[in-house]
Amino acid sequence: MPETLTHKNTSESLKLFERACNVIPGGVNSPVRSFKSVESNPLFISKAKDAFIWDVDNNKYIDFVNSWGALIHGHAHEKVIIEIEKALAKGTSYGAPHENELELCELIVQSVPSIEKVRLVNSGTEAVMTALRLAKAYTKRNKIVKFSGCYHGHSDSVLSMSGSGFATFGIPSSPGVSKNTANETITLPYNELFSLELILNKYPNDIAAIIVEPVMANAGVIPPIKGYLESLRTIANKFHCLLIFDEVITGFRLSKGGAQEKFNVMPDLTTLGKIIGGGMPIGAVGGKKEIMDLLAPIGSVYQAGTLSGNPISVACGLATLKSIDKNTYTYLEETTNELCEEVSKLNDKLGANLTLNKTGSMFSLFFTKERVTSFEKAKLSNTKSFAQFFKLMLLNGIYLAPSQFEANFLSTAFSKEELTKTIEAYKNSITEMFK
Ligand SMILES: *Cc1c(COP(=O)(O)O)cnc(C)c1O
């Protein structure tokens, strides 16, 4: 057995997890962190730098989670840390406007083609909540269409069939959401237009918005089939409902202008999060002026936040976005392509009949030979095999997203060396599984 496959000592993580279970439900502050679906216990992280994280037992891993995609430059990027430190010295929160939040908003408006005005909030969940409220107010309609496997945060109206957490733990929809609220949301399959037209014809005057992850990244990576996003735009126009792109993951991940720029399809409203905070809590909702101006204090749609535009989050986000240059996306795509090509070659060579989905710098390896174009297809994956694979990769020093239904992310901190190590680990793991 190769040296790297010997057992890793993770006893300190286990001790902390047992302690955590006494005071935190499930021992974690967000469900997918629990490693439950991969039949394991979570690692407690002690520090992170560039492409690496270390656990409390001092094991070092190449990190493909990157705080669920938020860290496009990897951990503790020097320029980002400097700006956070500068901001910290000037106080942690003002509860009043400041110039940096304006600069971040201007940068978002300049970068994301469909956004004319934007408001900062504290999380992606809040951004979606506000976008849906705006859509309902603007159209004076009450129903929302979403797609199964798309995750839009944990607010009541979007909590059905919402991706990883649900797939991982086998929860179809959440108790605690009232029937009336649940009934306002219609969940349809992604990458398929027939059911969407059927529903819109059935409720032509009731649908306020169609909300979608333009590239699904919360059920594993599932790209839109050719023409799908264009059709969503056409259908939304035809039925006078709004099209909302939830770009909390894809925003500044697929290009500076997100998926809407990459696929050249413009939504009415866009939600952002993750990368725009560079690893600090933030979210944003933006779109057409006439819709955004419905927000208080100029409009009557209420939305507020004690810590919105927080100076530290803003400094971190701004430094992150300013560190993106014209080579960033080329580099990310090239390194991701290289990694995925090597993985595919190994699969062919070792007879591993798996499905690799990829868009930009995000990818997922599904343990099924079927083409994965929807959540329903993703669920055909063998999650037991994924769990085994995940644990083997961990033993080989690679920290992947701990669920079959999550995306893996590269960052600009990945060098040739990390790619080589990952491919080596992949070879060891797949050989072990398919020998
Ligand atoms: C992460 C995510 C959210 C929720 O963002 P939080 O900051 O975790 O509330 C919403 N939509 C998408 C597409 C996401 O990936």
Side-chain angles (χ1 to χ4, degrees):
M1 197 183 256
E3 188 262 327
T4 43
L5 273 181
T6 53
H7 190 68
K8 270 193 162 55
N9 177 14
T10 54
S11 57
E12 289 304 314
S13 279
L14 187 60
K15 268 190 228 161
L16 290 177
F17 183 56
E18 282 166 358
R19 234 176 91 195
C21 286
N22 291 326
V23 292
I24 306 172
V28 288
N29 282 316
S30 196
V32 179
R33 289 178 199 175
S34 73
F35 280 28
K36 204 171 146 187
S37 74
V38 287
E39 299 152 359
S40 192
N41 298 315
L43 298 174
F44 277 63
I45 305 305
S46 58
K47 65 175 181 188
K49 177 72 185 151
D50 302 327
F52 306 102
I53 49 172
W54 284 260
D55 67 17
V56 284
D57 291 281
N58 215 23
N59 299 304
K60 181 184 181 185
Y61 306 89
I62 298 174
D63 179 24
F64 281 87
V65 175
N66 277 299
S67 192
W68 306 94
L71 302 168
I72 193 167
H73 304 301
H75 295 277
H77 185 264
E78 200 182 334
K79 286 185 187 153
V80 176
I81 298 295
I82 289 171
E83 290 307 316
I84 293 174
E85 281 171 353
K86 276 203 238 160
L88 262 178
K90 297 184 210 160
T92 55
S93 181
Y94 312 135
H98 58 107
E99 191 172 346
N100 268 359
E101 68 180 353
L102 168 60
E103 203 185 323
L104 179 58
C105 290
E106 284 172 343
L107 211 160
I108 290 172
V109 169
Q110 282 157 19
S111 306
V112 185
S114 74
I115 296 186
E116 295 172 351
K117 280 195 172 180
V118 62
R119 177 158 287 175
L120 297 183
V121 294
N122 299 295
S123 66
T125 295
E126 271 186 60
V128 170
M129 237 169 62
T130 306
L132 296 179
R133 188 176 300 150
L134 273 170
K136 289 177 184 179
Y138 182 77
T139 57
K140 302 188 173 67
R141 297 173 174 184
N142 285 322
K143 285 191 191 295
I144 300 292
V145 168
K146 77 177 282 291
F147 300 98
S148 58
C150 284
Y151 178 65
H152 302 297
H154 63 97
S155 73
D156 283 3
S157 55
V158 281
L159 270 191
S160 78
M161 299 302 289
S162 40
S164 155
F166 284 76
T168 307
F169 305 119
I171 307 170
S173 61
S174 181
V177 175
S178 76
K179 267 219 162 62
N180 285 345
T181 306
N183 285 343
E184 283 181 354
T185 305
I186 299 167
T187 305
L188 301 173
Y190 180 79
N191 265 339
E192 195 260 281
L193 297 167
F194 179 75
S195 54
L196 179 64
E197 298 209 58
L198 205 73
I199 284 295
L200 279 156
N201 279 311
K202 186 172 172 197
Y203 303 107
N205 301 312
D206 297 315
I207 312 288
I210 301 169
I211 183 167
V212 66
E213 283 185 81
V215 176
M216 272 175 70
N218 282 286
V221 174
I222 306 179
I225 56 176
K226 204 167 181 296
Y228 178 66
L229 297 176
E230 289 84 346
S231 300
L232 292 185
R233 182 64 275 176
T234 310
I235 292 170
N237 288 351
K238 183 174 160 198
F239 290 92
H240 307 287
C241 56
L242 299 188
L243 181 61
I244 303 172
F245 277 4
D246 183 348
E247 298 227 42
V248 170
I249 283 189
T250 53
F252 293 92
R253 166 63 58 185
L254 299 184
S255 76
K256 261 194 157 174
Q260 55 194 264
E261 180 181 59
K262 191 179 172 83
F263 295 96
N264 194 26
V265 176
M266 297 306 141
D268 301 293
L269 290 172
T270 302
T271 53
L272 297 168
K274 299 197 168 99
I275 290 178
I276 64 159
M280 295 285 274
I282 209 165
V285 51
K288 289 183 180 152
K289 267 186 208 152
E290 59 167 322
I291 308 171
M292 291 304 295
D293 281 345
L294 290 179
L295 284 177
I298 45 175
S300 52
V301 176
Y302 199 70
Q303 184 283 324
T306 304
L307 296 179
S308 294
N310 174 268
I312 314 301
S313 289
V314 164
C316 183
L318 203 49
T320 299
L321 298 190
K322 282 182 172 173
S323 301
I324 293 172
D325 61 32
K326 64 178 193 320
N327 299 322
T328 299
Y329 296 103
T330 326
Y331 180 76
L332 284 171
E333 288 230 30
E334 276 172 11
T335 44
T336 311
N337 284 344
E338 196 180 321
L339 179 66
C340 289
E341 269 165 33
E342 289 303 316
V343 164
S344 296
K345 271 191 221 160
L346 281 168
N347 286 347
D348 289 345
K349 202 168 137 199
L350 300 167
N353 217 339
L354 309 175
T355 295
L356 185 62
N357 277 10
K358 178 188 80 69
T359 301
S361 53
M362 2 188 253
F363 70 92
S364 293
L365 185 70
F366 293 98
F367 279 76
T368 170
K369 57 183 195 310
E370 303 293 327
R371 206 173 141 227
V372 177
T373 52
S374 68
F375 185 43
E376 289 69 25
K377 292 278 168 58
K379 282 194 292 190
L380 298 174
S381 303
N382 185 334
T383 52
K384 286 251 180 270
S385 297
F386 177 82
Q388 190 194 357
F389 167 69
F390 171 82
K391 284 184 276 196
L392 284 167
M393 287 297 275
L394 211 53
L395 282 177
N396 278 280
I398 311 295
Y399 190 96
L400 297 174
S403 163
Q404 172 67 91
F405 307 106
E406 292 287 356
N408 297 290
F409 299 95
L410 272 78
S411 77
T412 57
F414 276 63
S415 69
K416 188 92 194 158
E417 198 185 332
E418 280 79 68
L419 293 186
T420 308
K421 281 193 174 143
T422 305
I423 292 158
E424 194 56 37
Y426 186 76
K427 192 173 161 194
N428 288 342
S429 305
I430 290 293
T431 306
E432 176 79 15
M433 288 181 73
F434 289 86
K435 72 184 174 200

